[in-house]
Amino acid sequence: MAEARDAAVTGAAVTPPLGRNRARGELGGGTQASQRLLAYSDALLSIIATVMILPVAHTKIQPDQKFNESVQQLLATKIAVYLMTFLIVTVAWAAHVRLFQVIELIDDVLALLNLACMMIITFLPYSFSLMASFPDVSFGIFMFSSCSVIIGLIQAMIVLYSFHHPYLLNHQIQVSDNQAFYKSHILKIILRGPTLSFFAAIFSFFFIPLSYVFLGLVIFFPHLGHLTKWFKSKVLGQEEEMPLESFTFYLSEPLSKERVEAFSDGVYAIVATLLILDICEDNVPDAKEFREKYHGNLIKALSDYGPNFLAYFGSFVTIGLLWFVHHSLFLHVTKATRLMGVLNTLSLAFIGGLPLAYQLTSEFAEKSHNEIEAIQVSCVTIFFASIFQFSIWTAALFHERETLHPFARYGGKEHAFMFAKLALYPCISLATFFLTCILSELSTAIFHVMQIIIPFAFLVLRILVRISLVVFKSLSRPRNNVPEEEEACLSPAETLS
Amino acid sequence: MAEARDAAVTGAAVTPPLGRNRARGELGGGTQASQRLLAYSDALLSIIATVMILPVAHTKIQPDQKFNESVQQLLATKIAVYLMTFLIVTVAWAAHVRLFQVIELIDDVLALLNLACMMIITFLPYSFSLMASFPDVSFGIFMFSSCSVIIGLIQAMIVLYSFHHPYLLNHQIQVSDNQAFYKSHILKIILRGPTLSFFAAIFSFFFIPLSYVFLGLVIFFPHLGHLTKWFKSKVLGQEEEMPLESFTFYLSEPLSKERVEAFSDGVYAIVATLLILDICEDNVPDAKEFREKYHGNLIKALSDYGPNFLAYFGSFVTIGLLWFVHHSLFLHVTKATRLMGVLNTLSLAFIGGLPLAYQLTSEFAEKSHNEIEAIQVSCVTIFFASIFQFSIWTAALFHERETLHPFARYGGKEHAFMFAKLALYPCISLATFFLTCILSELSTAIFHVMQIIIPFAFLVLRILVRISLVVFKSLSRPRNNVPEEEEACLSPAETLS
């Protein structure tokens, strides 16, 4: 032990001349697999993406106060800020994914640069909400634009550094002859947004509307570029070859499946626990009030918070099960595309809204004027979150040979089972929505029954699929003797005919 | 697409009789790799472990108010609750790791059971803080004990279910002859805690002190069992063989390295962003105040929040770099042991305290009575967080043949470099602490200089190690001509002599 300590104190001086190349071959020499750095970045980004739901969720509305216009407007602004932040952070995340599909190994310098980049990205939600709160003040726009300029510059440094140390790059580029071309191509794409933001930052002091035009261009530029390219190839017949699989901005561009999963996991986890954060902080009764108001009866004191606990368990169960569906879905997926990523983002954005919806439900659980509205908002949020999950699946089916496991394609048992799982939440949330319209008196009861039923529905679904499988087998066996293997490959229509 | 929708609607009915075993071989038939389920559980648990720092961090202290006794006592209680919650959740996490080292594959039922288990675990911090706030009220103890009973029961169900479907278990148990013995051994260990909690729950209504005795026993029971076992083997000469590598509670028991990393990443990520959550919610100036008090000058309005931003960047940088050290450390580790897990937990517990320390610094940045105290608390927190990281490394060195990569063992370049990295934070935080004692007038300045210097110190360290490597090479070459490969294996003492 003493030796070890000595080595620590004398530090660098002890370093014996270890063969550099030998060490590098074994991941030493500073080169490391990037996996964990990316997992950490995903965790940071998913937390930041969902953070702007907090100001929305903490907007206080009195139970006896009708949703009047000013409250509605305040909520609408905050929700818009939340959605925009979510989209901005996911765009930054997608750029990060794209970048680290090109760079496969990291070293200490890249890790530190990446941390610096993360620091500025985590500041984006705040600077955006400043800009949204004071749209006519130049400093807000300047701050937001500067952040995105800095992010772009750091990413450019990352690219330059890794092209200077080509062993960090992915194999395709490493063996290629014209690395210089790749470098300029990637740099051009990365610096496009920051350049526009730079102009936005400058014009924020002279003519604010122009700044917004520049910021808007950041979003539309890739699509404009696409249109012109498409136009060129269709009308003028000029076919331009795409140099890389990434950095194309096509909807079929591959997106690292692991990172989509990691980012989604982060969002689901933080959203599932958002309500318990509040509960832990606010719902421990005050010692003085406890003695005076409740006469030392803890059950009585806690029953006041009852709706909050119910809201917590309700939101945890719903988010847990939506995660479960997402998890089942991605077990069948072999390759994620950009389109699936976009749909996944939309689904996650609604999932981020769930704690808000449930908080509304818990705040209005005591018979109030807005009870039905709150429950209907919850149903609509759940519906959209689940319908976008469903659309990921349909998007995957478009190119099922590339994107899905063979056994999950059309006509397999897993295929039907997956469809049933994905259809469960949209159907039930729609049914609840219409039920509350008809039986408005019982809306809270209906909603809570729904919450309790759904976990069991998943288990029942399993049994149902098995039973129908047995029934179907016994019905179809006598009729034809096609071997099972072949039968599984038939499309549902053929099997039924 | 219409076809796909139809399939979804008709759902189970379409299911063709796909060969069950064939599908299972390919992960179909409901059996899945458990990786993502565990990652999600880790994310949930790491968020929950750190959540009780929020009530501590949000304790309001007036800048001109001295740390009087009542504030100190309040803070001390809250900090104790935070530390205890953190330890309880990490114990639950370690039990979860142990369980899923035995169960290697999952299916839908296990996934749902696991989600149910997670839901109750996320409720532990709250029920514990209730118990801590009202130690003499039976309902608080009853609630906490019931939670741990339910967790134990769900885990027992998971074990029973997976032993009923042995293909889910790990290979060692799957091929073993006496599965029944393993089953009872594991169940016995899992149900030990819940049984004690069950008695605690019952006695909470009759005689509260006895409840606490039972809850205390939950912690000491494994160690008591160890002592008796050790006593038996030493004194009576009875050698009992350990049936499994997991479930031994020895310090050398293996702990899944991936899960230690995932849990740590979660804690680092949530702690790094805790301050921005507050900033996003509280530090957007109110529109009315903005116009009246600051006359539309945003820079002026924001400069009030200046210390908060500084605190955020300071804490993000510190936590980012501590993560970086942790990441470098675990790159060299091949196998994590229970002892390393415990040290890692202690390090993480102090890291969870960092936002609090930084919030103190930012609140007292305006010259107040407590400025020096706040900065010294920060230094001490950083010191302990980093010194426990250091001790993970020394613990790994004890069994370096099993736990470390060959090139990171004594005497390698990577070894020295790792030591330098690990020693940086303890040294600098100690130095800052003593500097603030001497130059108490300049403490804030010293602290901020430290924050800015450290990231560069990491880069300088890299250069220093390289230079000393070159110097050392040129010095040692003429003296002896040992081939590099061999030289790398010598211990530092030998190389220096």
Side-chain angles (χ1 to χ4, degrees):
Chain A
M1 225 57 273
E3 261 179 296
R5 288 265 158 70
D6 284 347
V9 174
T10 47
V14 192
T15 331
L18 179 72
R20 225 176 140 225
N21 290 323
R22 196 188 64 120
R24 174 160 301 150
E26 277 182 273
L27 148 165
T31 315
Q32 308 138 8
S34 58
Q35 214 179 347
R36 200 180 153 197
L37 181 80
L38 301 182
Y40 184 62
S41 308
D42 287 340
L44 282 177
L45 290 174
S46 55
I47 294 171
I48 288 305
T50 44
V51 71
M52 291 311 294
I53 198 67
L54 284 179
V56 193
H58 290 171
T59 308
K60 283 281 163 253
I61 304 160
Q62 300 303 319
D64 52 346
Q65 181 185 353
K66 265 247 171 211
F67 265 131
N68 62 22
E69 261 188 39
S70 72
V71 174
Q72 267 178 11
Q73 206 181 348
L74 186 71
L75 265 183
T77 317
K78 285 185 174 178
I79 290 173
V81 169
Y82 158 67
L83 286 177
M84 276 303 294
T85 325
F86 197 94
L87 294 181
I88 289 170
V89 174
T90 44
V91 166
W93 170 78
H96 193 264
V97 172
R98 202 171 278 137
L99 187 60
F100 280 90
Q101 277 175 341
V102 171
I103 301 165
E104 282 192 345
L105 295 173
I106 57 160
D107 62 5
D108 284 2
V109 177
L110 277 189
L112 291 175
L113 281 176
N114 182 61
L115 284 179
C117 186
M118 283 298 133
M119 189 167 76
I120 311 294
I121 291 179
T122 55
F123 207 63
L124 272 185
Y126 177 68
S127 57
F128 179 74
S129 73
L130 267 189
M131 190 174 90
S133 309
F134 308 104
D136 48 354
V137 177
S138 59
F139 187 70
I141 309 163
F142 178 75
M143 204 162 155
F144 181 73
S145 314
S146 313
C147 278
S148 61
V149 170
I150 297 172
I151 293 168
L153 288 180
I154 297 176
Q155 289 193 335
M157 277 167 73
I158 291 177
V159 170
L160 285 176
Y161 181 86
S162 50
F163 269 93
H164 195 249
H165 301 83
Y167 52 85
L168 299 171
L169 297 171
N170 83 8
H171 193 68
Q172 195 199 343
I173 297 179
Q174 220 176 111
V175 297
S176 144
D177 290 331
N178 48 354
Q179 279 185 11
F181 168 73
Y182 284 128
K183 188 166 133 184
S184 66
H185 175 74
I186 292 171
L187 274 180
K188 222 169 68 188
I189 288 172
I190 282 181
L191 287 176
R192 204 160 51 187
T195 314
L196 290 169
S197 307
F198 178 71
F199 286 114
I202 288 178
F203 279 103
S204 68
F205 291 109
F206 306 114
F207 186 59
I208 291 176
L210 201 58
S211 293
Y212 285 111
V213 172
F214 276 116
L215 285 181
L217 269 181
V218 176
I219 299 167
F220 292 110
F221 214 78
H223 304 288
L224 284 180
H226 256 298
L227 268 182
T228 45
K229 218 169 269 166
W230 180 82
F231 186 76
K232 263 188 194 161
S233 73
K234 286 280 164 180
V235 178
L236 305 174
Q238 291 177 359
E239 195 70 61
E240 201 184 357
E241 48 161 351
M242 281 318 299
L244 268 174
E245 222 188 357
S246 327
F247 286 100
T248 61
F249 293 92
Y250 285 134
L251 286 178
S252 60
E253 183 187 328
L255 203 65
S256 162
K257 187 195 158 202
E258 287 72 35
R259 295 202 61 189
V260 175
E261 289 181 354
F263 183 74
S264 311
D265 280 354
V267 171
Y268 281 104
I270 189 85
V271 170
T273 47
L274 264 185
L275 285 183
I276 202 81
L277 302 190
D278 287 342
I279 286 182
C280 280
E281 204 173 343
D282 303 332
N283 292 5
V284 178
D286 185 56
K288 205 175 143 202
E289 202 186 41
F290 171 65
R291 235 168 268 126
E292 285 167 11
K293 194 172 156 197
Y294 300 104
H295 312 291
N297 188 338
L298 192 57
I299 302 178
K300 218 172 174 182
L302 289 182
S303 61
D304 275 9
Y305 302 133
N308 287 338
F309 301 138
L310 215 57
Y312 170 65
F313 285 116
S315 97
F316 194 96
V317 167
T318 311
I319 291 161
L321 292 177
L322 284 171
W323 174 85
F324 174 68
V325 172
H326 190 270
H327 166 248
S328 307
L329 177 59
F330 272 79
L331 278 177
H332 296 324
V333 169
T334 48
K335 181 189 136 189
T337 63
R338 200 160 159 255
L339 176 61
M340 285 157 77
V342 169
L343 292 171
N344 188 43
T345 302
L346 291 172
S347 168
L348 290 177
F350 280 98
I351 281 170
L354 269 180
L356 162 73
Y358 275 90
Q359 199 145 39
L360 284 180
T361 329
S362 81
E363 283 194 356
F364 301 139
E366 311 271 313
K367 293 275 171 229
S368 77
H369 300 292
N370 306 307
E371 186 193 295
I372 303 166
E373 280 92 334
I375 286 176
Q376 287 179 346
V377 167
S378 301
C379 291
V380 170
T381 314
I382 296 174
F383 177 74
F384 277 107
S386 52
I387 207 74
F388 277 116
Q389 283 190 336
F390 196 95
S391 60
I392 298 174
W393 174 247
T394 45
L397 284 174
F398 266 120
H399 305 277
E400 60 171 0
R401 277 193 193 282
E402 288 167 35
T403 52
L404 288 181
H405 272 294
F407 61 84
R409 293 182 195 154
Y410 275 131
K413 174 196 157 202
E414 291 295 322
H415 177 86
F417 196 38
M418 196 63 241
F419 256 111
K421 270 187 193 172
L422 283 166
L424 195 60
Y425 259 109
C427 293
I428 289 186
S429 58
L430 261 194
T432 315
F433 183 82
F434 287 119
L435 263 180
T436 52
C437 289
I438 303 166
L439 305 164
S440 53
E441 283 300 298
L442 298 168
S443 55
T444 321
I446 293 170
F447 193 69
H448 290 318
V449 167
M450 181 200 86
Q451 281 175 10
I452 298 164
I453 280 180
I454 287 193
F456 296 101
F458 273 94
L459 292 176
V460 170
L461 209 65
R462 235 194 137 59
I463 298 165
L464 272 183
V465 169
R466 284 225 180 127
I467 291 173
S468 59
L469 187 72
V470 172
V471 171
F472 194 78
K473 223 175 196 166
S474 61
L475 282 179
S476 63
R477 177 107 349 128
R479 226 172 39 198
N480 58 354
N481 282 317
V482 185
E484 281 191 355
E485 250 61 4
E486 256 183 79
E487 210 174 344
C489 301
L490 295 176
S491 79
E494 283 175 283
T495 329
L496 277 174
S497 64
Chain B
M1 225 57 273
E3 261 179 298
R5 288 265 157 70
D6 284 347
V9 174
T10 47
V14 192
T15 330
L18 180 73
R20 227 176 138 225
N21 290 322
R22 196 188 65 120
R24 174 161 300 150
E26 276 182 274
L27 150 164
T31 316
Q32 309 140 7
S34 59
Q35 214 177 346
R36 201 181 154 196
L37 181 79
L38 301 182
Y40 183 61
S41 308
D42 286 341
L44 281 177
L45 290 174
S46 54
I47 294 171
I48 286 305
T50 44
V51 70
M52 290 312 294
I53 198 68
L54 283 178
V56 194
H58 290 170
T59 308
K60 282 280 161 255
I61 305 160
Q62 300 302 318
D64 52 345
Q65 181 186 355
K66 265 248 169 213
F67 264 133
N68 62 23
E69 260 186 41
S70 71
V71 174
Q72 265 177 11
Q73 207 179 348
L74 185 70
L75 264 184
T77 318
K78 284 184 175 178
I79 290 173
V81 169
Y82 158 68
L83 285 177
M84 277 302 296
T85 325
F86 196 94
L87 293 181
I88 289 170
V89 174
T90 45
V91 165
W93 170 78
H96 193 263
V97 172
R98 201 171 277 137
L99 187 60
F100 280 91
Q101 277 174 342
V102 171
I103 302 164
E104 283 193 344
L105 293 173
I106 58 160
D107 62 7
D108 284 3
V109 177
L110 278 188
L112 290 175
L113 281 175
N114 183 59
L115 284 179
C117 186
M118 283 298 133
M119 187 168 76
I120 310 295
I121 291 179
T122 55
F123 207 64
L124 273 185
Y126 177 69
S127 57
F128 180 75
S129 73
L130 265 190
M131 188 173 92
S133 309
F134 307 104
D136 48 354
V137 177
S138 57
F139 187 70
I141 309 163
F142 178 75
M143 205 162 151
F144 181 73
S145 315
S146 311
C147 279
S148 61
V149 170
I150 296 172
I151 293 167
L153 289 180
I154 296 176
Q155 289 193 334
M157 275 166 75
I158 291 176
V159 170
L160 286 177
Y161 181 85
S162 51
F163 270 92
H164 194 251
H165 301 81
Y167 54 85
L168 299 170
L169 297 170
N170 83 9
H171 192 69
Q172 196 198 343
I173 297 179
Q174 218 176 111
V175 297
S176 143
D177 290 330
N178 48 353
Q179 279 187 11
F181 169 72
Y182 283 129
K183 186 165 134 184
S184 66
H185 176 74
I186 292 170
L187 274 180
K188 221 168 69 188
I189 289 173
I190 281 181
L191 288 176
R192 206 158 51 186
T195 313
L196 290 169
S197 307
F198 178 70
F199 286 115
I202 288 177
F203 279 103
S204 67
F205 291 110
F206 307 115
F207 188 55
I208 291 175
L210 201 58
S211 292
Y212 284 111
V213 172
F214 275 115
L215 285 181
L217 269 181
V218 176
I219 299 167
F220 292 110
F221 213 80
H223 304 289
L224 285 180
H226 256 298
L227 268 182
T228 44
K229 219 169 270 169
W230 178 83
F231 186 77
K232 264 186 193 162
S233 74
K234 285 282 164 181
V235 179
L236 306 174
Q238 291 177 357
E239 195 69 62
E240 200 185 356
E241 51 163 345
M242 282 316 302
L244 268 174
E245 223 188 357
S246 324
F247 285 100
T248 62
F249 292 92
Y250 285 134
L251 285 179
S252 58
E253 183 187 329
L255 204 64
S256 161
K257 189 195 156 202
E258 285 73 34
R259 296 203 59 187
V260 175
E261 290 181 354
F263 183 73
S264 311
D265 280 354
V267 172
Y268 281 104
I270 189 83
V271 169
T273 46
L274 264 184
L275 285 184
I276 201 80
L277 301 191
D278 287 341
I279 287 182
C280 279
E281 204 173 345
D282 304 332
N283 291 6
V284 178
D286 186 55
K288 205 176 143 202
E289 203 185 42
F290 171 65
R291 235 168 268 125
E292 285 168 11
K293 194 171 158 198
Y294 300 104
H295 312 293
N297 188 339
L298 193 58
I299 304 178
K300 218 172 176 182
L302 289 183
S303 63
D304 275 8
Y305 303 133
N308 288 338
F309 301 137
L310 215 58
Y312 170 65
F313 286 116
S315 97
F316 194 97
V317 167
T318 311
I319 291 162
L321 290 177
L322 285 171
W323 174 85
F324 175 67
V325 172
H326 190 270
H327 166 248
S328 307
L329 177 58
F330 272 81
L331 277 177
H332 297 324
V333 169
T334 48
K335 181 189 135 187
T337 64
R338 202 160 158 255
L339 176 61
M340 286 157 76
V342 169
L343 292 171
N344 188 44
T345 301
L346 291 172
S347 168
L348 291 178
F350 279 98
I351 281 169
L354 268 179
L356 163 72
Y358 274 89
Q359 197 145 41
L360 285 179
T361 330
S362 80
E363 283 196 355
F364 301 139
E366 310 273 311
K367 293 276 169 228
S368 76
H369 302 293
N370 306 307
E371 184 193 297
I372 304 166
E373 281 92 334
I375 286 174
Q376 288 179 345
V377 167
S378 301
C379 291
V380 170
T381 314
I382 296 174
F383 176 75
F384 277 107
S386 53
I387 206 75
F388 277 116
Q389 284 189 336
F390 196 96
S391 61
I392 298 173
W393 173 246
T394 46
L397 282 174
F398 267 119
H399 305 277
E400 59 171 359
R401 273 188 199 287
E402 288 166 35
T403 53
L404 287 182
H405 272 291
F407 61 84
R409 292 180 195 157
Y410 276 130
K413 175 197 156 200
E414 291 296 322
H415 177 87
F417 195 38
M418 194 64 240
F419 257 111
K421 269 187 195 172
L422 282 166
L424 194 61
Y425 259 109
C427 294
I428 289 187
S429 58
L430 262 193
T432 315
F433 182 83
F434 287 120
L435 263 181
T436 53
C437 289
I438 303 166
L439 305 165
S440 53
E441 284 299 299
L442 297 169
S443 53
T444 321
I446 293 171
F447 193 69
H448 290 318
V449 167
M450 182 199 86
Q451 282 174 12
I452 298 163
I453 281 180
I454 287 192
F456 295 102
F458 273 95
L459 291 176
V460 169
L461 210 66
R462 234 192 136 61
I463 298 165
L464 271 183
V465 169
R466 284 224 178 126
I467 292 173
S468 59
L469 185 74
V470 172
V471 171
F472 195 80
K473 222 174 196 168
S474 62
L475 283 179
S476 64
R477 174 100 2 118
R479 226 171 39 198
N480 59 356
N481 281 319
V482 187
E484 279 190 355
E485 250 61 1
E486 256 183 77
E487 211 175 343
C489 301
L490 297 175
S491 80
E494 284 174 281
T495 330
L496 277 173
S497 64

